[in-house]
Amino acid sequence: KAGVTQTPRYLIKTRGQQVTLSCSPISGHRSVSWYQQTPGQGLQFLFEYFSETQRNKGNFPGRFSGRQFSNSRSEMNVSTLELGDSALYLCASSGTGTGVEAFFGQGTRLTVV
Amino acid sequence: GESVGLHLPTLSVQEGDNSIINCAYSNSASDYFIWYKQESGKGPQFIIDIRSNMDKRQGQRVTVLLNKTVKHLSLQIAATQPGDSAVYFCAESGSARQLTFGSGTQLTVLP
């Protein structure tokens, strides 16, 4: 059974640009959550999607957005990148939709220069 | 200004010994508590979870203990192996269906 797949693995962008990250959940999982991991703040919740609907959102500015497609694949977008957006972005899929037994992908390492 | 990294608690144990990793949580309304293991360059890996109405749960070589009175969670790893070296995170999940993570503990297994 394939795990959670995130693409790309690494990304370097310039301040002011925008970026789109992709996540393919485990087959059959309808819940996808996104997290940001930084040395300063640790792991922080961005948002959660279930059946194409955003059900919950963390405390991040509106520059961070996401969406989910009918096949449960999800994308997150960050506009007007700032240096502080440099982080490991992790996607997690869950079959229960409760946030429990969330399985994480390897993440996308975003560096903003 | 320069960012300051989280000060990760560290735990060093001899190979073959038992490890105990502790975590304090804040939300008494959380339904589930979960332990994750994160190796360098990888995403967090689910280890074990426990519902809030339980106080102990065992898995393969791991045991999670929950003390709701003092809002404390612990992960015990039996016969620690070199492959157990990683950062361990506790997380809590409630009605919001999001995981709130602790700051993590760096476990190093010494030969």
Side-chain angles (χ1 to χ4, degrees), chain A residues 48-69:
Chain A
E48 188 250 355
Y49 286 87
F50 185 87
S51 294
E52 302 178 66
T53 300
Q54 186 183 90
R55 296 197 298 187
N56 197 12
K57 189 177 192 303
N59 189 25
F60 278 83
R63 299 185 298 107
F64 292 81
S65 63
R67 59 178 175 168
Q68 187 180 33
F69 302 95

Side-chain angles (χ1 to χ4, degrees), chain A residues 35 37 39 55-56 97 100 102, chain B residues 6 36 38 49 96-99:
Chain A
Y35 291 82
Q37 186 174 28
R55 296 197 298 187
N56 197 12
V100 182
Chain B
L6 283 173
Y36 283 91
Q38 187 174 25
D49 63 9
R97 294 180 296 270
Q98 69 184 67
L99 294 172

Side-chain angles (χ1 to χ4, degrees), chain B residues 63-89:
Chain B
T63 300
V64 56
L65 299 178
L66 175 62
N67 185 331
K68 293 182 287 295
T69 302
V70 295
K71 295 183 183 176
H72 184 267
L73 191 66
S74 69
L75 177 71
Q76 301 177 4
I77 305 173
T80 313
Q81 303 168 0
D84 295 327
S85 292
V87 177
Y88 289 80
F89 293 95

Side-chain angles (χ1 to χ4, degrees), chain A residues 37-39 41-44 88 90 104, chain B residues 6 8-9 21-23 33-39 42-48 73 75 86-92 100-107:
Chain A
Q37 186 174 28
T38 61
Q41 299 298 322
L43 278 150
Q44 292 188 294
L88 180 67
L90 292 158
F104 284 82
Chain B
L6 283 173
L8 282 185
I21 301 171
N22 297 302
C23 175
F33 300 89
I34 310 109
W35 281 99
Y36 283 91
K37 170 187 179 182
Q38 187 174 25
E39 297 173 282
K42 297 185 178 181
Q45 176 188 354
F46 173 88
I47 301 173
I48 191 169
L73 191 66
L75 177 71
V87 177
Y88 289 80
F89 293 95
C90 65
E92 51 186 304
T100 301
F101 284 85
S103 57
T105 295
Q106 173 72 61
L107 174 66

